[in-house]
């Protein structure tokens, strides 16, 4: 036996160290050198995973909820929230984003309230519902985008003889992480609505409602004064961009027509048109996204996993996942993401990869050479 293998006698220093750990734990202090969980990871490690919800499943369950569950004070909304399986039972599509399908039956009203999380609606099917946003009655039709910005009163009312379905996107998990959630019910079920409807559209200036690609600058913390973006305008702009560029994929971002900023300070909304046979190179990007397939079909490979999609499907691309899209017949994909916050904080990064996942382009805040989708 060598001297090294002899059990070392317990020293006074060992005793002091043991009591240091005991005393630290007793007063809620953690020594960094004993923390085994990765804190400063080389690249983002979101807990949310790539995931997809099928239109067929979403609509079937929404229709059953429509028959069985009333919309009343307390619950407030008939909403099925996308729960990412990586988030341990939390009702969030991704770490920073809420995504959901909401349905309203004939003649129903989802009661008026307001909250600090901001919301957007992208209309899926049906007609005859209006969302009143701080008194402005915004008519909703399939393919339209409607904004209900932070702390604006909003209720949804149906004058239809059929159900209506739409996608809800909220920044709720982000606002919760910032410990800044406030909620207030309106004293009545409905707000008084102004006539004529769609005041924000009538009053909007001539500024462009879309930018090609994505907003790059951090312009303002205000939300867009325009609350409604009609599908006919979005469609026309996509057609124009596709004809002008001849590219297999064109992307636009909905913007504040007065400033060119993202529609909400916390969330951006985009629409992406794939021509038949389009295929994109893989991209990694900081920030989470939720996609809603508006038209057509195709598939996306997200961190090596293939998700086939068609109209009405919803899927999540977590931060820094490598994503590439392919569409045989052509498609239009709506998306929300938390990009404005990442840009404002200097955290936005993108990597473009080639087919073999080798890096071909880098975007950091110091390098504005960027790509879309
Ligand atoms: O329509 O006001 O999906 O307050 C979640 C919370 C929708 C809404 C959601 C909400 C709403
Ligand atoms: Fe709400």
């Amino acid at each position: 036996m060598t001297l090294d293998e002899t059990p070392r006698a317990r020293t006074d220093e060992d005793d002091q160290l043991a009591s240091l750990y005991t005393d630290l734990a007793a007063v809620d202090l953690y020594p960094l050198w004993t923390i085994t969980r990765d804190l400063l990871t080389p690249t983002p490690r979101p807990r949310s995973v790539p995931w997809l919800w099928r239109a067929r499943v979403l609509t079937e369950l929404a229709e059953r909820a429509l028959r069985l569950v009333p919309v009343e004070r307390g619950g407030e909304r008939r909403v099925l929230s996308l729960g990412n399986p990586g988030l341990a039972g939390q009702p969030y599509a991704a770490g920073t984003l809420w995504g959901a399908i909401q349905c309203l039956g004939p003649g129903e009203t989802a009661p008026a309230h307001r909250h600090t999380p901001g919301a957007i609606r992208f209309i899926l099917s049906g007609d005859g519902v209006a969302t009143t946003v701080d008194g402005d009655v915004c008519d909703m039709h399939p393919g339209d985008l409607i904004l209900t910005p932070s702390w604006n009163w909003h209720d949804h009312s149906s004058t239809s003889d059929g159900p209506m379905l739409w996608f809800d996107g909220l920044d709720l998990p982000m606002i919760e992480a910032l410990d800044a959630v406030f909620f207030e019910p309106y004293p009545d079920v409905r707000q008084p609505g102004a006539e004529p409807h769609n005041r924000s559209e009538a009053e909007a200036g001539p500024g462009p409602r879309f930018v090609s690609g994505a907003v790059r600058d951090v312009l303002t913390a205000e939300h867009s004064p325009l609350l409604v973006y009609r599908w006919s305008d979005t469609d026309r702009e996509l057609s124009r961009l596709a004809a002008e560029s001849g590219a297999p994929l064109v992307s636009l971002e909905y913007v504040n027509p007065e400033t060119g900023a993202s529609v909400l300070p916390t969330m951006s909304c985009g629409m992406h048109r794939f021509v038949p046979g389009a295929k994109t190179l893989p991209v990694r990007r900081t920030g989470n996204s939720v996609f809603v397939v508006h038209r057509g079909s195709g598939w996306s490979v997200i961190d090596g996993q293939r998700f086939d999609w068609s109209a009405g499907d919803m899927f999540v691309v977590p931060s820094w996942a490598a994503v590439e899209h392919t569409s045989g017949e052509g498609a239009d994909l709506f998306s929300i993401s938390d990009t404005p916050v990442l840009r404002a904080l200097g955290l936005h990064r993108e990597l473009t990869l080639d087919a073999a996942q080798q890096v071909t382009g880098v975007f950091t805040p110091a390098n504005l050479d960027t790509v879309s989708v």
Side-chain angles (χ1 to χ4, degrees):
M1 209 188 237
T2 65
L3 195 62
D4 286 355
E5 286 162 347
T6 317
R8 203 162 54 84
R10 195 170 170 82
T11 63
D12 184 45
E13 203 177 307
D14 291 334
D15 290 340
Q16 287 184 37
L17 201 53
S19 57
L20 172 63
Y21 288 126
T22 309
D23 293 350
L24 285 165
V27 295
D28 307 298
L29 291 169
Y30 294 98
L32 177 60
W33 61 92
T34 66
I35 299 174
T36 51
R37 183 167 80 83
D38 275 333
L39 294 172
L40 293 163
T41 58
T43 54
R45 279 190 210 156
R47 287 185 304 125
S48 64
V49 294
W51 205 254
L52 179 142
W53 292 260
R54 293 247 163 262
R56 198 166 16 83
V57 173
L58 291 167
T59 52
E60 198 257 333
L61 292 167
E63 279 158 13
R64 277 161 62 187
L66 201 56
R67 286 197 298 274
L68 294 167
V69 186
V71 184
E72 285 164 352
R73 276 277 179 234
E76 308 273 334
R77 300 293 185 262
R78 193 186 291 106
V79 159
L80 307 177
S81 96
L82 307 177
N84 191 293
L87 295 178
Q90 287 193 98
Y92 300 148
T96 53
L97 297 173
W98 171 281
I101 186 165
Q102 178 162 176
C103 54
L104 202 63
E108 287 185 323
T109 293
H113 66 209
R114 63 178 175 178
H115 37 71
T116 47
I120 65 89
R121 332 274 163 196
F122 181 73
I123 318 308
L124 302 171
S125 66
D127 230 312
V129 173
T131 292
T132 303
V133 184
D134 271 1
D136 183 11
V137 186
C138 302
D139 296 321
M140 301 153 83
H141 309 288
D144 292 351
L145 172 70
I146 311 282
L147 311 181
T148 54
S150 175
W151 211 237
N152 281 223
W153 295 110
H154 54 284
D155 55 78
H156 315 294
S157 277
S158 168
T159 52
S160 176
D161 51 12
M164 196 158 157
L165 296 176
W166 64 86
F167 168 79
D168 285 321
L170 282 84
D171 54 19
L172 170 56
M174 186 196 305
I175 306 305
E176 186 189 51
L178 295 169
D179 290 329
V181 174
F182 293 83
F183 173 92
E184 194 179 353
Y186 191 75
D188 293 322
V189 171
R190 296 175 64 164
Q191 313 162 60
E195 290 291 342
H197 291 188
N198 309 308
R199 188 182 61 208
S200 78
E201 275 187 289
E203 291 177 358
R209 297 176 181 200
F210 309 100
V211 295
S212 172
V215 170
R216 292 177 188 188
D217 305 326
V218 177
L219 290 168
T220 173
E222 300 297 305
H223 68 77
S224 172
L226 178 65
L227 301 173
V228 183
Y229 295 75
R230 298 291 173 205
W231 170 245
S232 56
D233 295 329
T234 314
D235 187 33
R236 190 179 325 108
E237 182 64 3
L238 287 167
S239 300
R240 194 185 70 74
L241 291 171
E244 187 182 84
S245 74
L249 163 69
V250 289
S251 292
L252 59 76
E253 184 175 333
Y254 301 78
V255 296
N256 177 332
E258 285 181 5
T259 63
S262 301
V263 287
L264 299 182
T266 48
M267 254 196 300
S268 58
C269 296
M271 184 66 82
H272 315 281
R273 174 161 293 173
F274 298 80
V275 304
K279 181 166 175 44
T280 67
L281 285 171
V283 176
R284 288 187 194 275
R285 167 179 295 123
T286 49
N288 299 302
S289 299
V290 181
F291 286 82
V292 179
V293 184
H294 178 52
R295 184 190 64 83
S297 66
W299 70 82
S300 302
V301 179
I302 312 172
D303 271 350
Q305 205 183 339
R306 174 170 158 163
F307 294 89
D308 289 85
W309 39 254
S310 56
D313 291 352
M314 302 175 184
F315 63 93
V316 174
V317 178
S319 183
W320 213 242
V323 60
E324 55 189 298
H325 307 285
T326 304
S327 177
E329 63 157 317
D332 291 334
L333 265 62
F334 173 79
S335 69
I336 60 166
S337 99
D338 51 16
T339 311
V341 175
L342 292 157
R343 286 199 191 275
L345 302 181
L347 299 172
H348 184 71
R349 292 182 184 222
E350 287 177 5
L351 279 189
T352 43
L353 309 168
D354 65 15
Q357 303 272 315
Q358 299 301 304
V359 174
T360 58
V362 179
F363 166 87
T364 66
N367 164 14
L368 286 173
D369 171 26
T370 185
V371 294
S372 46
V373 170

